[in-house]
Amino acid sequence: MLAKLGARYAPVERCDASLDELGIFADFDEYSGGVYSSTMELAVRGKPTPLVALRWSPGRGVRVWAKLEWFNPFSLSVKDRPALLILEKLGVPRGSRVYEASSGNFAVALSAVGAVLGYRVRVYLPGFAGGGYAERVARLLGAEVVVDERAEFTPQLLERLRRDAAEDGAVHPNQFTNDYNFEAHLRGTAREIDYQRLRGGLRLRGVVGGVGTSGHMAAVAFYFKSRLGEVDVVLAQPARGEVIPGIRRRETGMLWLDLAGVYDDPVDVTLDEALEVVAEVARSDGILLGPSGGAALAALRKHCESTGCMQGDYVAVIPDTGFKYLALVDGRAEAGSDG
Ligand code: PLP
């Protein structure tokens, strides 16, 4: 396995980052005093996002540290990082059209960064996302929004998107196959966790999260398997027939997870199980995780119960906040606690 052999470069087609270079943290801006000259500077330099120890625990001797990606300013999610790097690398002039398919956070991130950089962004959303936060916020950010009622999943939007993009001369970044998605998380999410584990004196035993494109967890898993070798990688996937916003099942195909080859079998989680943990963490720690963050922690608890967890610290990436999903979180958490 490449990672075990200590590969210095990530095994993707186009990634300029080496592990040596990633171990340098000089660009993390701790001394700004929280003052930034623009929203763009905040998004790029206002890092790392917080890593916070939770009172919530999946079992004795296991401490969970939540990396709160909703502290990213544009989409309040893990998707600011890839949107920033992908748009920066596009190299097309201001005023260019950029078309992308997304079910939520990436649509918002791209619309926001596109607005600042002067791109004309159009996002294609599947039917279920219509009327939700993504459609409303993307419109507010000045993006054009196309909701395709017939599309149940994001990939079903691609044929129409490609046709429109060809007609209009638009660029299609494609977050599912664009290696800058993976690289953004190597340079950002993974490297920040490394820095924070050193600063906080963590005994890092595992990393935990869910997968959509697989950009962030493939990068985090690859980074720590390469650096530390023995690290549990716990991935959450929706149980068959279940829908958890932002994540999907392993067999639907995930580019970087396959390339990096650094994970154990994903753990099945139902939406109710995810929302139960969201409610537990709300009551133990006073913060409201999004459903995919709840799914990550639910998967960790199952993993500890079945396979056993090592004593020490586990870092869970929490992609966004439950404030975006109040109807879902509120309704189900109540139903769950009623038994
Ligand atoms: N959770 C949420 C809420 C998301 O929006 C996403 C991606 O859009 C993910 C998890 C999965 O992230 P990735 O695409 O990096 O696998």
mmCIF file of all heavy atoms in Angstrom, residues 78-79 105 185 210-216 245-247 292 319-320 325, ligand 1:
data_model
loop_
_atom_site.group_PDB
_atom_site.id
_atom_site.type_symbol
_atom_site.label_atom_id
_atom_site.label_comp_id
_atom_site.label_asym_id
_atom_site.label_seq_id
_atom_site.Cartn_x
_atom_site.Cartn_y
_atom_site.Cartn_z
ATOM 1 N N VAL A 78 -17.470 22.320 5.241
ATOM 2 C CA VAL A 78 -16.208 21.744 4.769
ATOM 3 C C VAL A 78 -15.933 22.073 3.288
ATOM 4 O O VAL A 78 -14.850 21.821 2.786
ATOM 5 C CB VAL A 78 -16.294 20.203 5.003
ATOM 6 C CG1 VAL A 78 -17.221 19.539 3.996
ATOM 7 C CG2 VAL A 78 -14.944 19.524 5.052
ATOM 8 N N LYS A 79 -16.925 22.669 2.594
ATOM 9 C CA LYS A 79 -16.791 22.876 1.148
ATOM 10 C C LYS A 79 -16.141 24.208 0.751
ATOM 11 O O LYS A 79 -15.854 24.414 -0.422
ATOM 12 C CB LYS A 79 -18.164 22.745 0.473
ATOM 13 C CG LYS A 79 -18.659 21.309 0.419
ATOM 14 C CD LYS A 79 -17.769 20.450 -0.458
ATOM 15 C CE LYS A 79 -18.191 18.997 -0.459
ATOM 16 N NZ LYS A 79 -17.318 18.152 -1.263
ATOM 17 N N ASN A 105 -23.901 22.126 0.055
ATOM 18 C CA ASN A 105 -22.834 23.000 0.540
ATOM 19 C C ASN A 105 -21.881 23.479 -0.554
ATOM 20 O O ASN A 105 -21.419 24.617 -0.519
ATOM 21 C CB ASN A 105 -22.037 22.303 1.645
ATOM 22 C CG ASN A 105 -22.799 22.295 2.957
ATOM 23 O OD1 ASN A 105 -23.454 23.275 3.296
ATOM 24 N ND2 ASN A 105 -22.719 21.201 3.686
ATOM 25 N N HIS A 185 -8.033 19.555 0.807
ATOM 26 C CA HIS A 185 -8.174 18.960 2.144
ATOM 27 C C HIS A 185 -6.852 18.443 2.691
ATOM 28 O O HIS A 185 -6.672 18.364 3.902
ATOM 29 C CB HIS A 185 -9.229 17.859 2.115
ATOM 30 C CG HIS A 185 -10.606 18.395 1.902
ATOM 31 N ND1 HIS A 185 -11.215 19.238 2.801
ATOM 32 C CD2 HIS A 185 -11.486 18.241 0.878
ATOM 33 C CE1 HIS A 185 -12.421 19.563 2.345
ATOM 34 N NE2 HIS A 185 -12.601 18.977 1.184
ATOM 35 N N GLY A 210 -17.624 11.208 7.365
ATOM 36 C CA GLY A 210 -18.505 10.634 6.346
ATOM 37 C C GLY A 210 -17.971 10.983 4.969
ATOM 38 O O GLY A 210 -17.100 11.852 4.837
ATOM 39 N N VAL A 211 -18.494 10.317 3.924
ATOM 40 C CA VAL A 211 -17.987 10.568 2.582
ATOM 41 C C VAL A 211 -19.089 10.909 1.580
ATOM 42 O O VAL A 211 -20.113 10.250 1.512
ATOM 43 C CB VAL A 211 -17.174 9.368 2.033
ATOM 44 C CG1 VAL A 211 -15.734 9.459 2.474
ATOM 45 C CG2 VAL A 211 -17.756 8.049 2.445
ATOM 46 N N GLY A 212 -18.824 11.975 0.813
ATOM 47 C CA GLY A 212 -19.690 12.351 -0.304
ATOM 48 C C GLY A 212 -18.872 12.178 -1.566
ATOM 49 O O GLY A 212 -18.883 11.133 -2.216
ATOM 50 N N THR A 213 -18.081 13.207 -1.920
ATOM 51 C CA THR A 213 -17.102 13.026 -2.999
ATOM 52 C C THR A 213 -15.924 12.183 -2.506
ATOM 53 O O THR A 213 -15.157 11.680 -3.293
ATOM 54 C CB THR A 213 -16.530 14.383 -3.455
ATOM 55 O OG1 THR A 213 -15.799 14.967 -2.378
ATOM 56 C CG2 THR A 213 -17.630 15.334 -3.903
ATOM 57 N N SER A 214 -15.735 12.130 -1.203
ATOM 58 C CA SER A 214 -14.610 11.500 -0.464
ATOM 59 C C SER A 214 -13.420 12.440 -0.352
ATOM 60 O O SER A 214 -12.397 12.061 0.216
ATOM 61 C CB SER A 214 -14.178 10.145 -1.034
ATOM 62 O OG SER A 214 -13.257 10.268 -2.115
ATOM 63 N N GLY A 215 -13.547 13.669 -0.849
ATOM 64 C CA GLY A 215 -12.427 14.612 -0.819
ATOM 65 C C GLY A 215 -11.801 14.760 0.557
ATOM 66 O O GLY A 215 -10.598 14.554 0.719
ATOM 67 N N HIS A 216 -12.600 15.080 1.563
ATOM 68 C CA HIS A 216 -11.951 15.400 2.843
ATOM 69 C C HIS A 216 -11.484 14.167 3.604
ATOM 70 O O HIS A 216 -10.375 14.150 4.121
ATOM 71 C CB HIS A 216 -12.787 16.373 3.691
ATOM 72 C CG HIS A 216 -13.957 15.804 4.425
ATOM 73 N ND1 HIS A 216 -15.212 15.686 3.882
ATOM 74 C CD2 HIS A 216 -14.068 15.354 5.697
ATOM 75 C CE1 HIS A 216 -16.042 15.203 4.791
ATOM 76 N NE2 HIS A 216 -15.369 14.977 5.896
ATOM 77 N N PRO A 245 -28.070 13.803 4.525
ATOM 78 C CA PRO A 245 -27.583 14.853 3.631
ATOM 79 C C PRO A 245 -26.051 14.940 3.601
ATOM 80 O O PRO A 245 -25.415 15.003 4.651
ATOM 81 C CB PRO A 245 -28.179 16.133 4.226
ATOM 82 C CG PRO A 245 -29.351 15.689 5.024
ATOM 83 C CD PRO A 245 -29.042 14.308 5.513
ATOM 84 N N GLY A 246 -25.488 14.929 2.377
ATOM 85 C CA GLY A 246 -24.046 15.133 2.198
ATOM 86 C C GLY A 246 -23.234 13.868 2.057
ATOM 87 O O GLY A 246 -22.118 13.906 1.560
ATOM 88 N N ILE A 247 -23.761 12.725 2.528
ATOM 89 C CA ILE A 247 -22.950 11.502 2.428
ATOM 90 C C ILE A 247 -23.703 10.405 1.675
ATOM 91 O O ILE A 247 -24.929 10.434 1.571
ATOM 92 C CB ILE A 247 -22.478 10.989 3.811
ATOM 93 C CG1 ILE A 247 -23.646 10.626 4.732
ATOM 94 C CG2 ILE A 247 -21.579 12.028 4.469
ATOM 95 C CD1 ILE A 247 -23.200 9.992 6.049
ATOM 96 N N SER A 292 -24.635 14.731 9.054
ATOM 97 C CA SER A 292 -23.483 13.902 8.647
ATOM 98 C C SER A 292 -22.435 13.869 9.752
ATOM 99 O O SER A 292 -21.732 12.872 9.913
ATOM 100 C CB SER A 292 -22.887 14.385 7.319
ATOM 101 O OG SER A 292 -22.304 15.664 7.439
ATOM 102 N N PRO A 319 -18.784 18.181 9.200
ATOM 103 C CA PRO A 319 -18.831 19.000 7.972
ATOM 104 C C PRO A 319 -19.640 20.283 8.076
ATOM 105 O O PRO A 319 -19.295 21.276 7.446
ATOM 106 C CB PRO A 319 -19.453 18.064 6.939
ATOM 107 C CG PRO A 319 -19.172 16.689 7.457
ATOM 108 C CD PRO A 319 -19.265 16.815 8.941
ATOM 109 N N ASP A 320 -20.736 20.271 8.832
ATOM 110 C CA ASP A 320 -21.513 21.512 8.925
ATOM 111 C C ASP A 320 -22.405 21.502 10.152
ATOM 112 O O ASP A 320 -22.328 20.591 10.984
ATOM 113 C CB ASP A 320 -22.276 21.811 7.614
ATOM 114 C CG ASP A 320 -23.412 20.839 7.325
ATOM 115 O OD1 ASP A 320 -23.588 19.870 8.094
ATOM 116 O OD2 ASP A 320 -24.135 21.062 6.336
ATOM 117 N N TYR A 325 -30.481 22.354 9.141
ATOM 118 C CA TYR A 325 -31.402 21.219 8.937
ATOM 119 C C TYR A 325 -32.417 21.154 10.067
ATOM 120 O O TYR A 325 -32.785 20.075 10.518
ATOM 121 C CB TYR A 325 -30.615 19.903 8.921
ATOM 122 C CG TYR A 325 -29.423 19.888 8.004
ATOM 123 C CD1 TYR A 325 -28.157 20.247 8.470
ATOM 124 C CD2 TYR A 325 -29.551 19.511 6.674
ATOM 125 C CE1 TYR A 325 -27.055 20.231 7.636
ATOM 126 C CE2 TYR A 325 -28.443 19.487 5.832
ATOM 127 C CZ TYR A 325 -27.207 19.857 6.320
ATOM 128 O OH TYR A 325 -26.100 19.833 5.499
HETATM 129 N N1 PLP B 1 -21.377 16.228 4.938
HETATM 130 C C1 PLP B 1 -21.956 17.283 4.348
HETATM 131 C C2 PLP B 1 -23.017 18.039 5.071
HETATM 132 C C3 PLP B 1 -21.587 17.643 3.048
HETATM 133 O O1 PLP B 1 -22.184 18.696 2.454
HETATM 134 C C4 PLP B 1 -20.612 16.877 2.382
HETATM 135 C C5 PLP B 1 -20.272 17.177 1.014
HETATM 136 O O2 PLP B 1 -20.939 17.920 0.333
HETATM 137 C C6 PLP B 1 -20.015 15.803 3.037
HETATM 138 C C7 PLP B 1 -20.430 15.495 4.314
HETATM 139 C C8 PLP B 1 -18.988 14.945 2.363
HETATM 140 O O3 PLP B 1 -17.801 15.636 2.055
HETATM 141 P P1 PLP B 1 -16.871 15.148 0.858
HETATM 142 O O4 PLP B 1 -17.505 15.565 -0.410
HETATM 143 O O5 PLP B 1 -15.562 15.839 1.129
HETATM 144 O O6 PLP B 1 -16.743 13.663 0.948
#
